[in-house]
Every structure is written in structure tokens, then in C-alpha cells.
């Protein structure tokens, strides 16, 4: 047999191949077990460490949040108790202990719970109507050129008007103050939901709809299988914004034309110079707004659970 170098090449026989295979079979498992035992242990420890990191970061984040709130409360107490005047007149504000005592008195009265219930009924009614109308109108304006031509300009003209500026119109338009306040709440939360839904609808990739239409999907199936799931993140972004704006305008409407509610009671406390009660109302508004916004955010996470989430490092 000829070779390039001119020397005879080594001849590999079938027996040599069998010997090599036998050596590989007999020595492979032992060497693999010996070599892979350490990486398996290391890999398991790394997995456990990676699982512990998110839980630790969550507790660290919660601790920082609670600490920041406690620090703000402590600073408020120091400034008010010390009658500090450093550009701002903290000596005119109630102390934390006075507010806590006033809060305890309010919790012992039925009027406080009646006001809270009345405000919650108004926010749920107005915001619920705005959510339904805003989502439907946003989808219509986003998908129909005719609807956009007919109602788009009108919506853009009304949208910049603050909802609280519509209080005189609500007083003239509706026979009762209750209907007017719900109307103000509805108007305040409508446009954030509508605009967000419209933008989300227009931002959907057309290839999604084209793909499902080539499979024979009807217009209803396009809406239920492509449009609605695709716009859900944008819809819940608008709902979160709308909830915050709804609380702002609800409290303002209650202060102007209400007979019950947290806003009305807070304004009444101000007129009789009961400043601790004013701060009780403000704290109640903040807590209710925080809880309702949290409910909207939680619902959004449940509905859009298929979205990738950021993992805190």
C-alpha cells in the first residue's frame, strides 16, 4: 500500500477495532461516573442557590419598602412635634400620634364605614362602565376607519378637558348628585382606557391576522383569538392609569357636590378646622386607591400570565 510520505501506513484490523470498543465499554461508565459526580453536585448546589436568590431579593425589597414608609412617618413626627419652621410650617400640622388617635375614633363610628362604602360604590360603578365602554370603543376606533373618522376627532376634542371641569355640566345634566359623581368618575377613567386600547389594537402585527385568516378563521375568531389576547397588556396599562385618575376626580367631585363619601367628609373636616380628621381622610383615600390599583394589576397579571416576567436579581 502506497502512502504520501513513502512509509508503510499502520494496518488496522477488525480485531483491533473490537479491542478498542471493549475498552471503551468497560472503562466508559466508571470514568463517566467518576468524572460527572462532581459536576452533578455542583450543578444541584447552583440550582438551589439560584432558587434562593429570588426569594431573598423579594424579602429585601419588602423590607426596604416598609422601612421607607416607617422613616417617612418618623420624620413627620419629629418635624411636627418639634414645631419646625424651615421654609415650611410644620408646626401647623397635626402630629402622627394625633392622627392615629383620630383614626381610632373614626374606626369606632358607623359614619366612617358608610362614607367608605359610598365612595367604593361610586368608583366601582364609574370605573366598571369606563372599562367596558373604553375597551369596546378602543377596539372599534383601532380597527374601523369609518368609526375613527366619525368619532375619532370628537374623542380627541373631549379628551383634554379635565373631568372635574365637567362638574357644572353634570349638575345641570343629571337629576341627582349621585348620578353626576358617577358620570365624572366614568369620564375621568374612560379616556386612558380608550386611548391605550386603541393604540394596542393598531400596534398588532398584521401578519398575525393574515396567518389566521389563511386558515379560514372568521371575523369573530380573529377578534377572540388574535385581537383580544394581543391587546390585553395595553388594555391593563390603561386600566391601571384609569383607576388612579378615577380616584382623583371622584374625591374632587365629592368635595364639590357630594353628600356622602370620603371626599365630602374630608372637606367638611377642613371647613371646621379639624386637621387630624383631614389627614384621616387623606390616608383612607390613599389606602383605598392602593388596594384598588393592586386588584387591577393582579387581575392583569393573571390574565396575561403567558407574558415573560422580569426576575429580580
Amino acid at each position: 500500500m502506497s502512502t504520501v510520505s513513502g512509509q508503510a501506513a499502520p494496518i488496522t484490523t477488525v480485531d483491533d477495532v473490537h479491542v478498542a470498543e471493549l475498552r471503551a465499554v468497560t472503562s466508559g461508565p466508571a470514568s463517566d461516573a467518576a468524572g460527572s459526580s462532581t459536576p452533578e453536585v455542583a450543578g444541584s448546589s447552583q440550582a438551589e442557590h439560584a432558587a434562593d436568590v429570588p426569594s431573598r431579593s423579594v424579602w429585601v425589597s419588602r423590607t426596604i419598602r416598609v422601612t421607607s414608609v416607617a422613616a417617612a412617618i418618623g420624620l413627620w413626627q419629629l418635624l411636627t412635634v418639634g414645631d419646625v419652621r424651615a421654609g415650611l410650617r410644620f408646626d401647623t400640622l397635626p402630629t402622627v400620634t394625633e392622627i392615629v388617635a383620630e383614626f381610632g375614633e373614626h374606626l369606632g363610628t358607623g359614619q366612617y364605614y358608610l362614607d367608605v362604602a359610598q365612595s367604593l360604590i361610586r368608583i366601582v360603578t364609574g370605573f366598571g362602565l369606563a372599562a367596558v365602554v373604553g375597551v369596546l370603543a378602543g377596539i372599534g376606533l383601532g380597527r374601523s376607519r369609518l368609526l375613527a373618522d366619525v368619532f375619532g376627532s370628537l374623542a380627541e376634542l373631549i379628551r383634554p378637558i379635565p373631568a372635574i371641569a365637567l362638574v357644572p355640566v353634570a349638575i345641570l345634566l343629571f337629576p341627582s348628585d349621585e348620578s353626576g359623581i358617577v358620570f365624572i368618575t366614568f369620564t375621568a377613567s374612560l379616556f386612558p382606557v380608550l386611548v391605550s386600547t386603541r393604540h394596542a389594537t393598531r400596534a398588532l402585527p398584521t401578519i398575525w391576522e393574515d396567518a389566521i385568516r389563511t386558515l379560514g378563521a372568521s371575523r369573530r375568531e380573529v377578534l377572540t383569538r388574535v385581537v383580544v389576547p394581543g391587546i390585553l397588556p395595553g388594555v391593563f396599562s390603561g386600566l391601571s392609569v384609569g383607576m388612579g385618575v378615577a380616584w382623583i376626580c371622584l374625591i374632587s367631585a365629592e368635595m364639590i357636590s357630594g353628600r356622602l363619601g370620603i371626599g365630602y367628609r374630608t372637606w367638611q373636616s377642613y371647613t371646621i378646622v379639624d386637621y387630624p380628621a383631614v389627614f384621616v381622610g387623606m390616608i383612607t383615600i390613599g389606602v383605598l386607591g392602593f388596594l384598588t390599583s393592586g386588584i387591577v394589576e393582579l387581575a392583569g397579571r393573571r390574565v396575561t400570565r403567558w407574558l415573560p416576567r422580569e426576575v429580580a436579581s
Side-chain angles (χ1 to χ4, degrees):
M1 181 178 295
S2 62
T3 61
V4 176
S5 61
Q7 298 177 357
I11 299 176
T12 302
T13 63
V14 176
D15 294 337
D16 294 334
V17 174
H18 288 317
V19 171
E21 291 178 351
L22 182 61
R23 289 177 179 176
V25 171
T26 55
S27 61
S31 61
D32 291 344
S36 61
S37 59
T38 303
E40 287 180 357
V41 175
S44 62
S45 62
Q46 290 177 357
E48 293 176 357
H49 177 70
D52 291 339
V53 169
S55 61
R56 292 177 183 175
S57 62
V58 168
W59 283 108
V60 170
S61 178
R62 291 177 179 176
T63 303
I64 293 175
R65 294 176 184 180
V66 173
T67 303
S68 63
V69 174
I73 295 174
L75 181 61
W76 180 279
Q77 178 70 5
L78 291 176
L79 293 174
T80 53
V81 170
D83 294 334
V84 176
R85 281 203 174 200
L88 299 176
R89 299 180 299 174
F90 290 99
D91 56 334
T92 62
L93 300 178
T95 63
V96 175
T97 53
E98 293 174 346
I99 297 173
V100 171
E102 186 71 21
F103 212 124
E105 294 180 5
H106 276 70
L107 292 176
T109 63
Q111 185 64 50
Y112 176 78
Y113 299 100
L114 181 62
D115 291 330
V116 170
Q118 191 67 37
S119 294
L120 286 176
I121 291 173
R122 291 165 177 166
I123 201 75
V124 170
T125 304
F127 178 77
L129 291 174
V132 175
V133 175
V135 171
L136 295 178
I139 294 175
L141 293 176
R143 291 185 58 83
S144 174
R145 183 179 295 273
L146 177 61
L147 291 178
D149 292 338
V150 175
F151 298 104
S153 300
L154 182 62
E156 290 300 322
L157 287 173
I158 300 176
R159 184 166 68 93
I161 301 176
I164 197 63
L166 299 177
V167 169
V169 177
I171 294 175
L172 296 174
L173 189 61
F174 294 95
S176 64
D177 294 336
E178 189 67 26
S179 301
I181 293 175
V182 172
F183 170 74
I184 296 299
T185 308
F186 164 79
T187 307
S189 53
L190 171 65
F191 289 103
V193 179
L194 187 151
V195 172
S196 181
T197 303
R198 183 185 62 186
H199 289 337
T201 303
R202 291 177 177 176
L204 286 176
T206 56
I207 192 174
W208 292 0
E209 184 174 346
D210 295 339
I212 194 173
R213 283 190 180 276
T214 57
L215 298 176
S218 63
R219 181 172 298 181
R220 179 180 179 181
E221 290 175 332
V222 170
L223 286 174
T224 57
R225 294 177 179 270
V226 175
V227 177
V228 174
I231 67 174
L232 282 178
V235 168
F236 276 96
S237 296
L239 291 174
S240 298
V241 176
M243 177 60 76
V245 178
W247 272 109
I248 294 173
C249 293
L250 170 66
I251 298 303
S252 301
E254 288 180 345
M255 288 182 175
I256 295 173
S257 62
R259 293 294 180 270
L260 286 172
I262 298 298
Y264 170 77
R265 199 64 55 190
T266 302
W267 182 254
Q268 290 298 311
S269 299
Y270 173 75
T271 58
I272 62 175
V273 200
D274 188 2
Y275 294 133
V278 171
F279 281 90
V280 169
M282 293 170 61
I283 293 171
T284 303
I285 295 167
V287 172
L288 293 177
F290 177 80
L291 292 177
T292 50
S293 297
I295 292 173
V296 172
E297 183 178 355
L298 180 61
R301 287 181 175 271
R302 296 288 186 182
V303 174
T304 61
R305 66 181 66 184
W306 43 270
L307 283 175
R309 305 295 183 187
E310 292 184 0
V311 179
S313 58

